[in-house]
Amino acid sequence: MAEQALILAAGKGTRMRPLTARLPKPLLPAGGAPFLEHQLRALAEAGVTHVAVLVGYRMREVHEALGDGQRFGLALDFLVQEEQLGTGHAVAQAAGKLDGNFFCLNGDTLVTTETLRALTSAKSTHAMAVAQVADCSSYGLVKAHKGKLASIIEKGAEGPGKINAGIYRFAPSIFEALEMLERSPRGEFELTTALEAVAKQVTVVDVEGDWLDLGRPWDLLTANALLLAWMEPSIEGTVEEGVVLEGAVHVAAGAIIKAGSRIEGPVWVGPGATVGPNACIRGATMLGAGAKVGGASEVKNSILMDGAKAPHHNYVGDSILGRDCNLGSGTKVANLRHDGANVYAIIRGERVDSGLRKLGVILGDDVKTGINASLNVGTILGEGTIVGPGRVVSGSWAAGSRIL
């Protein structure tokens, strides 16, 4: 049994911009908590008592968010990776810090306790989890023979297949394989190369239950829906008369749901958040601390991070609003193309198929829109962007843009 774990949470998460411009990817919120907290709770349920968290980008924020781990029933240590030189280099930072078998998780991977237990049950020195996907072109395709690892194809594979899920159970001998690594053609020390070097000692197991990794901003919406599906309803805040609640709804302490509002769960309303009067929220939606969905506004399948506001006559669907965003009265978000085809978005200058028929907008922190602004499907606005009254906006805009 592995009572220790290593979480790799040092990367910059550039593909998740603008959400990660001011917030490390493992702290992005989903299902009522930072993503990393869900990993810690799954590890604790699997019998882990000690977790080393590898940090780098915005490390202070990660440390402050997690503390010493006592509220998760864990002892936490923080290891610093000053320079990100690949996954093999990342795992190697734990050499001498972990004694015995340990789980290793990518910090952007949704993991279940059942998958961790399956790794523990594997009768081999090491074990890795794989996930079945419809298109493995963006992942490392894993080939196995009689239950043991045969190879990992990082590029060029297409179509359905089983891919590296970023969840492992290692014995201390993995560090010996890591010491032998040389830089790959892209200049990094690859964990997958070390795994192939000890392939006969690696059992391949299928993930059990939900799995995903946060590769693109809209993946956070999928994670939110998966996590909220398991949420237990609870009312700790204030719900005024005339409110209709259906399904699983969590109203945190200090939150208020005003008269005439309707919430169809699963919906998580954070501490100090405000809904209504006469607002509508449909699942799966998360409102962060101090967020607001105001009069005659509707929000559907979205995440409003801490302090984000859709306060007057707004529609927000299948979208993510960063911290302290504010939509002017009448601002509307389009989330469906007229032809019903998948929505595309521009990520790092590349036009990317989201794989989704419904996708609204991704707004970085502190985005402001004027009255009656219209935001088109797949629009991405960098942090601090200002949109003027009545403007119709599409595409991807850099931080601090002025669309007036």
mmCIF file with all atom_site columns, all heavy atoms in Angstrom, residues 255-280:
data_model
loop_
_atom_site.group_PDB
_atom_site.id
_atom_site.type_symbol
_atom_site.label_atom_id
_atom_site.label_alt_id
_atom_site.label_comp_id
_atom_site.label_asym_id
_atom_site.label_entity_id
_atom_site.label_seq_id
_atom_site.pdbx_PDB_ins_code
_atom_site.Cartn_x
_atom_site.Cartn_y
_atom_site.Cartn_z
_atom_site.occupancy
_atom_site.B_iso_or_equiv
_atom_site.pdbx_formal_charge
_atom_site.auth_seq_id
_atom_site.auth_comp_id
_atom_site.auth_asym_id
_atom_site.auth_atom_id
_atom_site.pdbx_PDB_model_num
ATOM 1   N N   . ALA A 1 255 ? -24.106 33.090 1.756   1.00 0.00 ? 255 ALA A N   1
ATOM 2   C CA  . ALA A 1 255 ? -24.721 33.298 0.446   1.00 0.00 ? 255 ALA A CA  1
ATOM 3   C C   . ALA A 1 255 ? -26.203 33.587 0.621   1.00 0.00 ? 255 ALA A C   1
ATOM 4   O O   . ALA A 1 255 ? -26.817 33.211 1.623   1.00 0.00 ? 255 ALA A O   1
ATOM 5   C CB  . ALA A 1 255 ? -24.529 32.074 -0.437  1.00 0.00 ? 255 ALA A CB  1
ATOM 6   N N   . ILE A 1 256 ? -26.806 34.250 -0.369  1.00 0.00 ? 256 ILE A N   1
ATOM 7   C CA  . ILE A 1 256 ? -28.225 34.564 -0.308  1.00 0.00 ? 256 ILE A CA  1
ATOM 8   C C   . ILE A 1 256 ? -28.862 34.331 -1.668  1.00 0.00 ? 256 ILE A C   1
ATOM 9   O O   . ILE A 1 256 ? -28.330 34.746 -2.695  1.00 0.00 ? 256 ILE A O   1
ATOM 10  C CB  . ILE A 1 256 ? -28.476 36.011 0.176   1.00 0.00 ? 256 ILE A CB  1
ATOM 11  C CG1 . ILE A 1 256 ? -29.977 36.311 0.252   1.00 0.00 ? 256 ILE A CG1 1
ATOM 12  C CG2 . ILE A 1 256 ? -27.753 37.025 -0.709  1.00 0.00 ? 256 ILE A CG2 1
ATOM 13  C CD1 . ILE A 1 256 ? -30.306 37.615 0.938   1.00 0.00 ? 256 ILE A CD1 1
ATOM 14  N N   . ILE A 1 257 ? -30.000 33.623 -1.646  1.00 0.00 ? 257 ILE A N   1
ATOM 15  C CA  . ILE A 1 257 ? -30.790 33.399 -2.845  1.00 0.00 ? 257 ILE A CA  1
ATOM 16  C C   . ILE A 1 257 ? -32.067 34.219 -2.671  1.00 0.00 ? 257 ILE A C   1
ATOM 17  O O   . ILE A 1 257 ? -32.891 33.934 -1.798  1.00 0.00 ? 257 ILE A O   1
ATOM 18  C CB  . ILE A 1 257 ? -31.144 31.914 -3.045  1.00 0.00 ? 257 ILE A CB  1
ATOM 19  C CG1 . ILE A 1 257 ? -29.907 31.020 -2.820  1.00 0.00 ? 257 ILE A CG1 1
ATOM 20  C CG2 . ILE A 1 257 ? -31.731 31.708 -4.438  1.00 0.00 ? 257 ILE A CG2 1
ATOM 21  C CD1 . ILE A 1 257 ? -28.771 31.279 -3.760  1.00 0.00 ? 257 ILE A CD1 1
ATOM 22  N N   . LYS A 1 258 ? -32.244 35.252 -3.490  1.00 0.00 ? 258 LYS A N   1
ATOM 23  C CA  . LYS A 1 258 ? -33.336 36.192 -3.297  1.00 0.00 ? 258 LYS A CA  1
ATOM 24  C C   . LYS A 1 258 ? -34.620 35.723 -3.982  1.00 0.00 ? 258 LYS A C   1
ATOM 25  O O   . LYS A 1 258 ? -34.610 34.882 -4.877  1.00 0.00 ? 258 LYS A O   1
ATOM 26  C CB  . LYS A 1 258 ? -32.921 37.569 -3.817  1.00 0.00 ? 258 LYS A CB  1
ATOM 27  C CG  . LYS A 1 258 ? -31.769 38.185 -3.021  1.00 0.00 ? 258 LYS A CG  1
ATOM 28  C CD  . LYS A 1 258 ? -31.441 39.590 -3.497  1.00 0.00 ? 258 LYS A CD  1
ATOM 29  C CE  . LYS A 1 258 ? -30.330 40.207 -2.656  1.00 0.00 ? 258 LYS A CE  1
ATOM 30  N NZ  . LYS A 1 258 ? -30.016 41.590 -3.084  1.00 0.00 ? 258 LYS A NZ  1
ATOM 31  N N   . ALA A 1 259 ? -35.705 36.308 -3.524  1.00 0.00 ? 259 ALA A N   1
ATOM 32  C CA  . ALA A 1 259 ? -37.045 35.901 -3.943  1.00 0.00 ? 259 ALA A CA  1
ATOM 33  C C   . ALA A 1 259 ? -37.200 35.892 -5.462  1.00 0.00 ? 259 ALA A C   1
ATOM 34  O O   . ALA A 1 259 ? -36.637 36.726 -6.174  1.00 0.00 ? 259 ALA A O   1
ATOM 35  C CB  . ALA A 1 259 ? -38.085 36.829 -3.317  1.00 0.00 ? 259 ALA A CB  1
ATOM 36  N N   . GLY A 1 260 ? -38.000 34.919 -5.933  1.00 0.00 ? 260 GLY A N   1
ATOM 37  C CA  . GLY A 1 260 ? -38.304 34.834 -7.352  1.00 0.00 ? 260 GLY A CA  1
ATOM 38  C C   . GLY A 1 260 ? -37.270 34.097 -8.174  1.00 0.00 ? 260 GLY A C   1
ATOM 39  O O   . GLY A 1 260 ? -37.446 33.926 -9.380  1.00 0.00 ? 260 GLY A O   1
ATOM 40  N N   . SER A 1 261 ? -36.190 33.641 -7.562  1.00 0.00 ? 261 SER A N   1
ATOM 41  C CA  . SER A 1 261 ? -35.120 32.959 -8.301  1.00 0.00 ? 261 SER A CA  1
ATOM 42  C C   . SER A 1 261 ? -35.411 31.463 -8.413  1.00 0.00 ? 261 SER A C   1
ATOM 43  O O   . SER A 1 261 ? -36.101 30.880 -7.583  1.00 0.00 ? 261 SER A O   1
ATOM 44  C CB  . SER A 1 261 ? -33.777 33.178 -7.612  1.00 0.00 ? 261 SER A CB  1
ATOM 45  O OG  . SER A 1 261 ? -33.439 34.549 -7.602  1.00 0.00 ? 261 SER A OG  1
ATOM 46  N N   . ARG A 1 262 ? -34.833 30.867 -9.436  1.00 0.00 ? 262 ARG A N   1
ATOM 47  C CA  . ARG A 1 262 ? -34.989 29.432 -9.671  1.00 0.00 ? 262 ARG A CA  1
ATOM 48  C C   . ARG A 1 262 ? -33.611 28.825 -9.936  1.00 0.00 ? 262 ARG A C   1
ATOM 49  O O   . ARG A 1 262 ? -32.846 29.339 -10.765 1.00 0.00 ? 262 ARG A O   1
ATOM 50  C CB  . ARG A 1 262 ? -35.902 29.176 -10.869 1.00 0.00 ? 262 ARG A CB  1
ATOM 51  C CG  . ARG A 1 262 ? -36.120 27.695 -11.178 1.00 0.00 ? 262 ARG A CG  1
ATOM 52  C CD  . ARG A 1 262 ? -36.982 27.518 -12.416 1.00 0.00 ? 262 ARG A CD  1
ATOM 53  N NE  . ARG A 1 262 ? -37.269 26.102 -12.661 1.00 0.00 ? 262 ARG A NE  1
ATOM 54  C CZ  . ARG A 1 262 ? -38.330 25.462 -12.181 1.00 0.00 ? 262 ARG A CZ  1
ATOM 55  N NH1 . ARG A 1 262 ? -39.207 26.111 -11.428 1.00 0.00 ? 262 ARG A NH1 1
ATOM 56  N NH2 . ARG A 1 262 ? -38.517 24.180 -12.448 1.00 0.00 ? 262 ARG A NH2 1
ATOM 57  N N   . ILE A 1 263 ? -33.303 27.756 -9.206  1.00 0.00 ? 263 ILE A N   1
ATOM 58  C CA  . ILE A 1 263 ? -32.015 27.076 -9.385  1.00 0.00 ? 263 ILE A CA  1
ATOM 59  C C   . ILE A 1 263 ? -32.280 25.598 -9.651  1.00 0.00 ? 263 ILE A C   1
ATOM 60  O O   . ILE A 1 263 ? -32.947 24.928 -8.861  1.00 0.00 ? 263 ILE A O   1
ATOM 61  C CB  . ILE A 1 263 ? -31.115 27.227 -8.147  1.00 0.00 ? 263 ILE A CB  1
ATOM 62  C CG1 . ILE A 1 263 ? -30.830 28.711 -7.872  1.00 0.00 ? 263 ILE A CG1 1
ATOM 63  C CG2 . ILE A 1 263 ? -29.810 26.475 -8.356  1.00 0.00 ? 263 ILE A CG2 1
ATOM 64  C CD1 . ILE A 1 263 ? -29.936 28.950 -6.661  1.00 0.00 ? 263 ILE A CD1 1
ATOM 65  N N   . GLU A 1 264 ? -31.760 25.116 -10.766 1.00 0.00 ? 264 GLU A N   1
ATOM 66  C CA  . GLU A 1 264 ? -31.879 23.707 -11.135 1.00 0.00 ? 264 GLU A CA  1
ATOM 67  C C   . GLU A 1 264 ? -30.489 23.082 -11.060 1.00 0.00 ? 264 GLU A C   1
ATOM 68  O O   . GLU A 1 264 ? -29.625 23.383 -11.880 1.00 0.00 ? 264 GLU A O   1
ATOM 69  C CB  . GLU A 1 264 ? -32.461 23.579 -12.542 1.00 0.00 ? 264 GLU A CB  1
ATOM 70  C CG  . GLU A 1 264 ? -33.841 24.226 -12.697 1.00 0.00 ? 264 GLU A CG  1
ATOM 71  C CD  . GLU A 1 264 ? -34.329 24.251 -14.130 1.00 0.00 ? 264 GLU A CD  1
ATOM 72  O OE1 . GLU A 1 264 ? -33.643 23.662 -15.000 1.00 0.00 ? 264 GLU A OE1 1
ATOM 73  O OE2 . GLU A 1 264 ? -35.368 24.867 -14.385 1.00 0.00 ? 264 GLU A OE2 1
ATOM 74  N N   . GLY A 1 265 ? -30.278 22.206 -10.074 1.00 0.00 ? 265 GLY A N   1
ATOM 75  C CA  . GLY A 1 265 ? -28.962 21.662 -9.826  1.00 0.00 ? 265 GLY A CA  1
ATOM 76  C C   . GLY A 1 265 ? -28.511 20.642 -10.858 1.00 0.00 ? 265 GLY A C   1
ATOM 77  O O   . GLY A 1 265 ? -29.287 20.247 -11.737 1.00 0.00 ? 265 GLY A O   1
ATOM 78  N N   . PRO A 1 266 ? -27.240 20.243 -10.775 1.00 0.00 ? 266 PRO A N   1
ATOM 79  C CA  . PRO A 1 266 ? -26.348 20.561 -9.660  1.00 0.00 ? 266 PRO A CA  1
ATOM 80  C C   . PRO A 1 266 ? -25.750 21.970 -9.763  1.00 0.00 ? 266 PRO A C   1
ATOM 81  O O   . PRO A 1 266 ? -25.178 22.323 -10.789 1.00 0.00 ? 266 PRO A O   1
ATOM 82  C CB  . PRO A 1 266 ? -25.250 19.500 -9.765  1.00 0.00 ? 266 PRO A CB  1
ATOM 83  C CG  . PRO A 1 266 ? -25.177 19.190 -11.234 1.00 0.00 ? 266 PRO A CG  1
ATOM 84  C CD  . PRO A 1 266 ? -26.595 19.303 -11.731 1.00 0.00 ? 266 PRO A CD  1
ATOM 85  N N   . VAL A 1 267 ? -25.900 22.712 -8.689  1.00 0.00 ? 267 VAL A N   1
ATOM 86  C CA  . VAL A 1 267 ? -25.373 24.076 -8.620  1.00 0.00 ? 267 VAL A CA  1
ATOM 87  C C   . VAL A 1 267 ? -24.717 24.284 -7.268  1.00 0.00 ? 267 VAL A C   1
ATOM 88  O O   . VAL A 1 267 ? -25.282 23.919 -6.239  1.00 0.00 ? 267 VAL A O   1
ATOM 89  C CB  . VAL A 1 267 ? -26.491 25.122 -8.827  1.00 0.00 ? 267 VAL A CB  1
ATOM 90  C CG1 . VAL A 1 267 ? -25.981 26.521 -8.514  1.00 0.00 ? 267 VAL A CG1 1
ATOM 91  C CG2 . VAL A 1 267 ? -27.016 25.069 -10.262 1.00 0.00 ? 267 VAL A CG2 1
ATOM 92  N N   . TRP A 1 268 ? -23.529 24.867 -7.284  1.00 0.00 ? 268 TRP A N   1
ATOM 93  C CA  . TRP A 1 268 ? -22.774 25.168 -6.057  1.00 0.00 ? 268 TRP A CA  1
ATOM 94  C C   . TRP A 1 268 ? -22.672 26.682 -5.937  1.00 0.00 ? 268 TRP A C   1
ATOM 95  O O   . TRP A 1 268 ? -22.083 27.342 -6.806  1.00 0.00 ? 268 TRP A O   1
ATOM 96  C CB  . TRP A 1 268 ? -21.386 24.541 -6.128  1.00 0.00 ? 268 TRP A CB  1
ATOM 97  C CG  . TRP A 1 268 ? -20.647 24.457 -4.830  1.00 0.00 ? 268 TRP A CG  1
ATOM 98  C CD1 . TRP A 1 268 ? -20.624 23.393 -3.960  1.00 0.00 ? 268 TRP A CD1 1
ATOM 99  C CD2 . TRP A 1 268 ? -19.793 25.446 -4.246  1.00 0.00 ? 268 TRP A CD2 1
ATOM 100 N NE1 . TRP A 1 268 ? -19.822 23.667 -2.888  1.00 0.00 ? 268 TRP A NE1 1
ATOM 101 C CE2 . TRP A 1 268 ? -19.295 24.919 -3.027  1.00 0.00 ? 268 TRP A CE2 1
ATOM 102 C CE3 . TRP A 1 268 ? -19.406 26.728 -4.632  1.00 0.00 ? 268 TRP A CE3 1
ATOM 103 C CZ2 . TRP A 1 268 ? -18.427 25.635 -2.212  1.00 0.00 ? 268 TRP A CZ2 1
ATOM 104 C CZ3 . TRP A 1 268 ? -18.551 27.441 -3.810  1.00 0.00 ? 268 TRP A CZ3 1
ATOM 105 C CH2 . TRP A 1 268 ? -18.068 26.891 -2.612  1.00 0.00 ? 268 TRP A CH2 1
ATOM 106 N N   . VAL A 1 269 ? -23.262 27.232 -4.879  1.00 0.00 ? 269 VAL A N   1
ATOM 107 C CA  . VAL A 1 269 ? -23.246 28.671 -4.625  1.00 0.00 ? 269 VAL A CA  1
ATOM 108 C C   . VAL A 1 269 ? -22.292 28.940 -3.471  1.00 0.00 ? 269 VAL A C   1
ATOM 109 O O   . VAL A 1 269 ? -22.530 28.497 -2.341  1.00 0.00 ? 269 VAL A O   1
ATOM 110 C CB  . VAL A 1 269 ? -24.660 29.193 -4.298  1.00 0.00 ? 269 VAL A CB  1
ATOM 111 C CG1 . VAL A 1 269 ? -24.620 30.701 -4.065  1.00 0.00 ? 269 VAL A CG1 1
ATOM 112 C CG2 . VAL A 1 269 ? -25.630 28.846 -5.432  1.00 0.00 ? 269 VAL A CG2 1
ATOM 113 N N   . GLY A 1 270 ? -21.212 29.645 -3.727  1.00 0.00 ? 270 GLY A N   1
ATOM 114 C CA  . GLY A 1 270 ? -20.142 29.824 -2.761  1.00 0.00 ? 270 GLY A CA  1
ATOM 115 C C   . GLY A 1 270 ? -20.449 30.841 -1.677  1.00 0.00 ? 270 GLY A C   1
ATOM 116 O O   . GLY A 1 270 ? -21.455 31.556 -1.732  1.00 0.00 ? 270 GLY A O   1
ATOM 117 N N   . PRO A 1 271 ? -19.589 30.924 -0.689  1.00 0.00 ? 271 PRO A N   1
ATOM 118 C CA  . PRO A 1 271 ? -19.803 31.833 0.446   1.00 0.00 ? 271 PRO A CA  1
ATOM 119 C C   . PRO A 1 271 ? -19.877 33.290 -0.004  1.00 0.00 ? 271 PRO A C   1
ATOM 120 O O   . PRO A 1 271 ? -19.053 33.749 -0.795  1.00 0.00 ? 271 PRO A O   1
ATOM 121 C CB  . PRO A 1 271 ? -18.583 31.576 1.342   1.00 0.00 ? 271 PRO A CB  1
ATOM 122 C CG  . PRO A 1 271 ? -17.563 30.941 0.455   1.00 0.00 ? 271 PRO A CG  1
ATOM 123 C CD  . PRO A 1 271 ? -18.333 30.166 -0.562  1.00 0.00 ? 271 PRO A CD  1
ATOM 124 N N   . GLY A 1 272 ? -20.888 33.988 0.507   1.00 0.00 ? 272 GLY A N   1
ATOM 125 C CA  . GLY A 1 272 ? -21.038 35.398 0.178   1.00 0.00 ? 272 GLY A CA  1
ATOM 126 C C   . GLY A 1 272 ? -21.570 35.685 -1.202  1.00 0.00 ? 272 GLY A C   1
ATOM 127 O O   . GLY A 1 272 ? -21.685 36.848 -1.588  1.00 0.00 ? 272 GLY A O   1
ATOM 128 N N   . ALA A 1 273 ? -21.919 34.656 -1.970  1.00 0.00 ? 273 ALA A N   1
ATOM 129 C CA  . ALA A 1 273 ? -22.462 34.865 -3.312  1.00 0.00 ? 273 ALA A CA  1
ATOM 130 C C   . ALA A 1 273 ? -23.920 35.301 -3.222  1.00 0.00 ? 273 ALA A C   1
ATOM 131 O O   . ALA A 1 273 ? -24.611 35.039 -2.233  1.00 0.00 ? 273 ALA A O   1
ATOM 132 C CB  . ALA A 1 273 ? -22.338 33.594 -4.143  1.00 0.00 ? 273 ALA A CB  1
ATOM 133 N N   . THR A 1 274 ? -24.401 35.958 -4.285  1.00 0.00 ? 274 THR A N   1
ATOM 134 C CA  . THR A 1 274 ? -25.778 36.457 -4.326  1.00 0.00 ? 274 THR A CA  1
ATOM 135 C C   . THR A 1 274 ? -26.437 36.008 -5.624  1.00 0.00 ? 274 THR A C   1
ATOM 136 O O   . THR A 1 274 ? -25.846 36.114 -6.700  1.00 0.00 ? 274 THR A O   1
ATOM 137 C CB  . THR A 1 274 ? -25.804 37.997 -4.255  1.00 0.00 ? 274 THR A CB  1
ATOM 138 O OG1 . THR A 1 274 ? -25.162 38.428 -3.060  1.00 0.00 ? 274 THR A OG1 1
ATOM 139 C CG2 . THR A 1 274 ? -27.235 38.507 -4.266  1.00 0.00 ? 274 THR A CG2 1
ATOM 140 N N   . VAL A 1 275 ? -27.667 35.525 -5.491  1.00 0.00 ? 275 VAL A N   1
ATOM 141 C CA  . VAL A 1 275 ? -28.465 35.146 -6.654  1.00 0.00 ? 275 VAL A CA  1
ATOM 142 C C   . VAL A 1 275 ? -29.805 35.879 -6.571  1.00 0.00 ? 275 VAL A C   1
ATOM 143 O O   . VAL A 1 275 ? -30.485 35.823 -5.543  1.00 0.00 ? 275 VAL A O   1
ATOM 144 C CB  . VAL A 1 275 ? -28.708 33.627 -6.705  1.00 0.00 ? 275 VAL A CB  1
ATOM 145 C CG1 . VAL A 1 275 ? -29.626 33.272 -7.877  1.00 0.00 ? 275 VAL A CG1 1
ATOM 146 C CG2 . VAL A 1 275 ? -27.390 32.873 -6.808  1.00 0.00 ? 275 VAL A CG2 1
ATOM 147 N N   . GLY A 1 276 ? -30.183 36.574 -7.655  1.00 0.00 ? 276 GLY A N   1
ATOM 148 C CA  . GLY A 1 276 ? -31.481 37.209 -7.728  1.00 0.00 ? 276 GLY A CA  1
ATOM 149 C C   . GLY A 1 276 ? -31.467 38.665 -7.307  1.00 0.00 ? 276 GLY A C   1
ATOM 150 O O   . GLY A 1 276 ? -30.413 39.258 -7.087  1.00 0.00 ? 276 GLY A O   1
ATOM 151 N N   . PRO A 1 277 ? -32.697 39.206 -7.208  1.00 0.00 ? 277 PRO A N   1
ATOM 152 C CA  . PRO A 1 277 ? -33.991 38.515 -7.327  1.00 0.00 ? 277 PRO A CA  1
ATOM 153 C C   . PRO A 1 277 ? -34.322 38.161 -8.773  1.00 0.00 ? 277 PRO A C   1
ATOM 154 O O   . PRO A 1 277 ? -33.792 38.743 -9.710  1.00 0.00 ? 277 PRO A O   1
ATOM 155 C CB  . PRO A 1 277 ? -34.979 39.550 -6.778  1.00 0.00 ? 277 PRO A CB  1
ATOM 156 C CG  . PRO A 1 277 ? -34.327 40.873 -7.090  1.00 0.00 ? 277 PRO A CG  1
ATOM 157 C CD  . PRO A 1 277 ? -32.854 40.647 -6.932  1.00 0.00 ? 277 PRO A CD  1
ATOM 158 N N   . ASN A 1 278 ? -35.213 37.159 -8.907  1.00 0.00 ? 278 ASN A N   1
ATOM 159 C CA  . ASN A 1 278 ? -35.733 36.759 -10.225 1.00 0.00 ? 278 ASN A CA  1
ATOM 160 C C   . ASN A 1 278 ? -34.632 36.347 -11.192 1.00 0.00 ? 278 ASN A C   1
ATOM 161 O O   . ASN A 1 278 ? -34.643 36.726 -12.362 1.00 0.00 ? 278 ASN A O   1
ATOM 162 C CB  . ASN A 1 278 ? -36.569 37.897 -10.822 1.00 0.00 ? 278 ASN A CB  1
ATOM 163 C CG  . ASN A 1 278 ? -37.697 38.330 -9.911  1.00 0.00 ? 278 ASN A CG  1
ATOM 164 O OD1 . ASN A 1 278 ? -38.427 37.488 -9.387  1.00 0.00 ? 278 ASN A OD1 1
ATOM 165 N ND2 . ASN A 1 278 ? -37.815 39.631 -9.689  1.00 0.00 ? 278 ASN A ND2 1
ATOM 166 N N   . ALA A 1 279 ? -33.688 35.568 -10.691 1.00 0.00 ? 279 ALA A N   1
ATOM 167 C CA  . ALA A 1 279 ? -32.617 35.036 -11.536 1.00 0.00 ? 279 ALA A CA  1
ATOM 168 C C   . ALA A 1 279 ? -32.833 33.546 -11.757 1.00 0.00 ? 279 ALA A C   1
ATOM 169 O O   . ALA A 1 279 ? -33.557 32.888 -11.001 1.00 0.00 ? 279 ALA A O   1
ATOM 170 C CB  . ALA A 1 279 ? -31.256 35.283 -10.893 1.00 0.00 ? 279 ALA A CB  1
ATOM 171 N N   . CYS A 1 280 ? -32.176 33.026 -12.782 1.00 0.00 ? 280 CYS A N   1
ATOM 172 C CA  . CYS A 1 280 ? -32.278 31.596 -13.094 1.00 0.00 ? 280 CYS A CA  1
ATOM 173 C C   . CYS A 1 280 ? -30.877 31.022 -13.263 1.00 0.00 ? 280 CYS A C   1
ATOM 174 O O   . CYS A 1 280 ? -30.055 31.584 -13.999 1.00 0.00 ? 280 CYS A O   1
ATOM 175 C CB  . CYS A 1 280 ? -33.084 31.377 -14.364 1.00 0.00 ? 280 CYS A CB  1
ATOM 176 S SG  . CYS A 1 280 ? -33.202 29.639 -14.872 1.00 0.00 ? 280 CYS A SG  1
#
